[in-house]
Amino acid sequence: MDMTSENAELSAIVERYRDAEGGLLPALRDIQNTFGHISDAAKRQCAEVFNLSRAEVHGVASFYHDFRDQPTGKPVIRLCRAEACQARGGEALAAEAENMASGRVMIEPVYCLGLCSVGPNAMVGEQVHARLGKSDIARLIDEAAA
Amino acid sequence: MSRVICISDDALAIACGADRVAEAFAEAAPDAEIRRVSSWGMHWLEPLVEVDGIGFGPVTTDDVAAILDGSSEKRIGKVTEHPWIARQQRLTFARAGQTRPLDLGDYEDTGGWAGLKRARDMTPQAVLDEVKASGLRGRGGAGFPAGIKWQTVADAASTRKYIVCNADEGDSGTFADRMLMEGDPYCLIEGMAIAGHAVGAMQGYIYLRSEYPHAMAKLNAAIEASAHIVAPFQLEVRMGAGAYVCGEETSLLNSLEGKRGEVRAKPPLPAIEGLFGKPTVVNNVLTLAAIPWIMAHGGAAYADYGMGRSRGTMPIQIAGNVKHGGLYETAFGVTLGELVSDIGGGTDSGGTLRAVQVGGPLGAYFPPTLFDTPFDYESFAAKDGLIGHGGVVVFDDSVDMWAQARFAMEFCAHESCGKCTPCRIGSVRGMETLDRMRGGGRAGSDSVEALPQIRNTSGGVREASAELELITDLCDLMQSGSLCALGGFTPYPVMSAIRHFPEDFGIAEAAE
């Protein structure tokens, strides 16, 4: 995507939420999903359209774990690290996943995917995976890295 | 007649491979009708396949041929007669496993919209009285009587009011909201429309956590398909952005307004000054989803279930290291021991059951000696615990309770919104104190204490027992000095772990 079309897309997203009640959060969500991060230019645009200071927009964007100010640059596997998965061996699996990924894939913690009776669980994009053993996580990492 | 094969399209079933199994059946039995239904909630059997009412599970693609020719060893008999299902009292989850989530026909055929129709034939006050008579209390954790909250909003004078559904189900060990939204979305929509009628609100928001994209898709489709039925009431789903604290109602409202999800001081109550300063009903998914049944069958019928001041049924979620995990809806009063041992079948690993955490990351750890505690709001409070959103997480004897206590503090530090000092800083100090406890205390003053300006510390060597005194004091402060349950309830898992499992902390016995 070149700069001009990127700017046009950014404007289109922000404009879509201009009149929505509490539109900043859905606008930031949309920007994050589209561009993989929320750039300074996007924050400026939001401040302008929602009539907020840039500090306020930055305050919101930096509050939520889902929003990044830099692209990750590699695929992300979100591995559940909450209590129910801990009870099913999630911590040992997380340590192994980190080793197996060896920088090819980002293993990110997530606190609960709501699949707590069949853990350890992971999410890649919007795909959910349950009952993960060592070989399963190895396959997920290889698929994501490919 | 062609065979009807039911396979769930719940996210948990899909995560266990239900989509692949459904494809395999479509290929192997092209003349059969394959229905993607909601999940029965017997999670250890997912993907569960039902062929003309007879269940098989857990099914892999290798089992397809044997199931179709009747030779499969994974046969569990008629699903409705399975003891795990037959023993339940399902009111909110009455349709689970049996209807296609987005099929309006299925919904109507199973009593859908009856509650809304009856409510609309009644005055708003009569609806409020019915909800009060049901004794329904908030299922999100706080347990506040729903009817009283609704009455406050109804009585508030305003041209604009809101119904907000809290679907930010962040507690580990809970999935009932997700299952309801994915499996029976019209039930939630009907409950919100009834609430709108009762308090005079025209707009509803469902605040959904971003970890639930399947629920998002189902809700959006259901809202569109049922818009003509609930009109003039309007609904919109808003997705959160990965902040646990946004499950707290005032923080959720700030987030819905597009702000940082920081907690607000109460009063003013959200019922009086809520979303955008307007009177707002904020209820959990399960609270709102209980409403259609109450309106269709009457508040008194709902209140017939339960014990003491906890009326009705609770969808309990059995999770963690447990053999038979899943969704178990039953009247209040079942004991914790029945839940984890009889119903849950003990640990999945086969190890000895050591601890059970009830109520999510902010809930207390219970040892087996407290398994006679009945599942209701007051009994759990009397044992220094809480039922929260009804999540029960089972641990075997490989668990290190010190690590669980430390994780509770770490989680609080990670998720604190930063508004209250005891939560923001106390949680970090809590981690440090627990670390020193594990190390048997500390050897001497730290670099700050050694400064000449610092005169009011005891300094020097500290035993583990002295660290215990510190963490007890810190927990007391967090509990009484935090605005919301994140800082206020983190002491529950920490102190319960210390009290019931002191051997993991290197101390003989916990101080009371």
Side-chain angles (χ1 to χ4, degrees), chain A residues 21-22 24-25 29 59 63-67 82-84 86-88 111-114 116-118 123 126 128 130-131, chain B residues 15 43 46 162 172-173 175 178 205 209-210 213 238 240-242 255 259-261 320-321 348 357 361 394 404 415:
Chain A
E21 287 187 319
L24 178 60
L25 197 65
R29 151 72 50 200
F63 182 86
Y64 296 94
H65 300 307
D66 284 0
F67 299 151
E83 289 91 335
Q86 291 171 11
R88 299 181 67 92
Y111 294 99
C112 199
L113 298 169
C116 313
S117 45
V118 289
M123 192 171 200
E126 294 197 346
V128 279
R131 295 181 184 139
Chain B
H43 290 163
E46 291 288 3
Y162 294 99
S172 174
F175 41 77
R178 182 187 61 70
Y205 285 104
R209 62 199 298 262
S210 60
R238 282 288 173 87
S255 187
K259 299 174 183 159
R260 289 165 68 86
N321 194 336
D348 191 32
Q357 187 180 30
V394 179
Q404 297 309 118
E415 297 295 338

Side-chain angles (χ1 to χ4, degrees), chain B residues 185-203:
Chain B
Y186 296 124
C187 179
L188 174 60
I189 292 170
E190 184 179 353
M192 291 183 75
I194 294 170
H197 172 71
V199 306
M202 298 303 230
Q203 175 71 44

Side-chain angles (χ1 to χ4, degrees), chain A residues 19-130:
Chain A
D19 299 319
E21 287 187 319
L24 178 60
L25 197 65
L28 291 174
R29 151 72 50 200
D30 218 339
I31 293 167
Q32 169 69 43
N33 287 355
T34 308
F35 302 104
H37 73 295
I38 296 169
S39 64
D40 282 345
K43 287 177 197 165
R44 262 196 297 278
Q45 183 101 19
C46 286
E48 176 99 16
V49 168
F50 294 107
N51 196 22
L52 296 165
S53 70
R54 279 168 61 195
E56 283 171 301
V57 175
H58 177 75
V60 175
S62 58
F63 182 86
Y64 296 94
H65 300 307
D66 284 0
F67 299 151
R68 306 171 193 277
D69 52 12
Q70 297 289 330
T72 55
K74 51 181 133 177
V76 178
I77 293 179
R78 304 173 79 192
L79 192 60
C80 182
R81 306 289 295 273
E83 289 91 335
C85 282
Q86 291 171 11
R88 299 181 67 92
E91 290 305 285
L93 187 71
E96 284 180 1
E98 203 64 63
N99 277 338
M100 289 188 275
S102 62
R104 291 179 295 155
V105 172
M106 194 171 173
I107 306 286
E108 208 182 47
V110 58
Y111 294 99
C112 199
L113 298 169
L115 315 169
C116 313
S117 45
V118 289
N121 307 309
M123 192 171 200
V124 186
E126 294 197 346
Q127 303 285 320
V128 279
H129 304 272

Side-chain angles (χ1 to χ4, degrees), chain B residues 15-72:
Chain B
C16 294
D19 282 350
R20 288 190 298 275
V21 171
E23 277 168 33
F25 271 102
E27 207 168 293
D31 54 338
E33 182 195 344
I34 297 191
R35 284 190 198 165
R36 299 305 297 269
V37 294
S38 52
S39 167
W40 282 99
M42 295 194 283
H43 290 163
W44 74 100
L45 292 174
E46 291 288 3
L48 175 68
V49 174
E50 220 179 317
V51 184
D52 294 332
I54 304 296
F56 301 86
V59 175
T60 67
T61 47
D62 297 337
D63 300 317
V64 173
I67 288 173
L68 288 172
D69 70 24
S71 67
S72 174

Side-chain angles (χ1 to χ4, degrees), chain B residues 126-490:
Chain B
V127 176
L128 294 169
D129 292 340
E130 196 80 82
V131 174
K132 278 186 223 164
S134 75
L136 176 68
R137 294 168 68 178
R139 296 285 185 254
F144 189 81
I148 294 174
K149 191 185 272 185
W150 289 21
Q151 185 75 59
T152 311
V153 176
D155 292 344
S158 175
T159 50
R160 195 162 172 80
K161 297 176 184 179
Y162 294 99
I163 308 295
V164 170
C165 171
N166 184 345
D168 197 53
E169 184 177 53
D171 288 357
S172 174
T174 65
F175 41 77
D177 292 356
R178 182 187 61 70
M179 284 184 65
L180 194 286
M181 291 184 287
E182 289 184 23
D184 200 5
Y186 296 124
C187 179
L188 174 60
I189 292 170
E190 184 179 353
M192 291 183 75
I194 294 170
H197 172 71
V199 306
M202 298 303 230
Q203 175 71 44
Y205 285 104
I206 300 171
Y207 185 88
L208 179 70
R209 62 199 298 262
S210 60
E211 290 83 354
Y212 286 178
H214 296 81
M216 180 82 178
K218 289 266 182 61
L219 284 172
N220 278 330
I223 287 169
E224 202 184 322
S226 64
H228 64 288
I229 298 170
V230 299
F233 186 71
Q234 290 193 336
L235 256 175
E236 192 184 327
V237 189
R238 282 288 173 87
M239 196 179 248
Y244 175 74
V245 74
C246 288
E248 195 282 333
E249 61 175 359
T250 59
S251 157
L252 184 154
L253 292 173
N254 275 338
S255 187
L256 265 181
E257 291 181 11
K259 299 174 183 159
R260 289 165 68 86
E262 268 177 16
V263 174
R264 298 178 186 170
K266 289 189 275 192
L269 291 171
I272 296 174
E273 282 183 40
L275 189 60
F276 300 106
K278 305 292 183 207
T280 305
V281 170
V282 186
N283 275 148
N284 175 255
V285 173
L286 300 180
T287 316
L288 290 161
I291 297 292
W293 194 96
I294 290 168
M295 289 314 298
H297 299 85
Y302 191 77
D304 278 347
Y305 295 90
M307 68 175 275
R309 286 174 50 221
S310 305
R311 310 311 311 178
T313 61
M314 182 76 196
I316 298 166
Q317 302 122 80
I318 308 174
N321 194 336
V322 66
K323 198 176 281 170
H324 299 152
L327 183 107
Y328 198 89
E329 181 176 354
T330 188
F332 286 99
V334 59
T335 67
L336 185 56
E338 284 175 75
L339 279 173
V340 300
S341 304
D342 305 347
I343 298 162
T347 62
D348 191 32
S349 61
T352 309
L353 203 161
R354 183 153 190 243
V356 175
Q357 187 180 30
V358 183
L362 308 173
Y365 285 97
F366 282 76
T369 47
L370 290 178
F371 277 7
D372 58 345
T373 313
F375 205 87
D376 87 329
Y377 293 99
E378 276 71 35
S379 305
F380 267 68
K383 300 276 167 67
D384 289 321
L386 49 112
I387 64 172
H389 187 47
V392 174
V393 177
V394 179
F395 293 82
D396 71 5
D397 53 1
S398 66
V399 67
D400 175 354
M401 295 308 294
W402 171 84
Q404 297 309 118
R406 191 186 188 281
F407 176 77
M409 283 293 185
E410 191 185 346
F411 185 73
C412 180
H414 188 257
E415 297 295 338
S416 177
C417 80
K419 181 133 178 157
C420 310
T421 313
C423 172
R424 183 185 69 242
I425 296 178
S427 52
V428 179
R429 293 292 96 88
M431 277 194 281
E432 294 164 359
T433 311
L434 285 167
D435 284 343
R436 289 196 304 268
M437 262 178 110
R438 179 42 73 93
R442 63 168 202 180
S445 300
D446 62 30
S447 56
V448 175
E449 276 179 316
L451 294 173
Q453 296 91 328
I454 305 291
R455 282 182 286 269
N456 59 352
T457 72
S458 53
V461 177
R462 202 150 59 214
E463 304 280 317
S465 59
E467 301 287 1
L468 172 66
E469 206 174 304
L470 272 182
I471 192 113
T472 308
D473 190 43
L474 174 70
C475 282
D476 187 42
L477 175 77
M478 287 175 72
Q479 205 158 7
S480 49
S482 306
L483 281 173
C484 86
L486 182 51
F489 287 6
T490 294

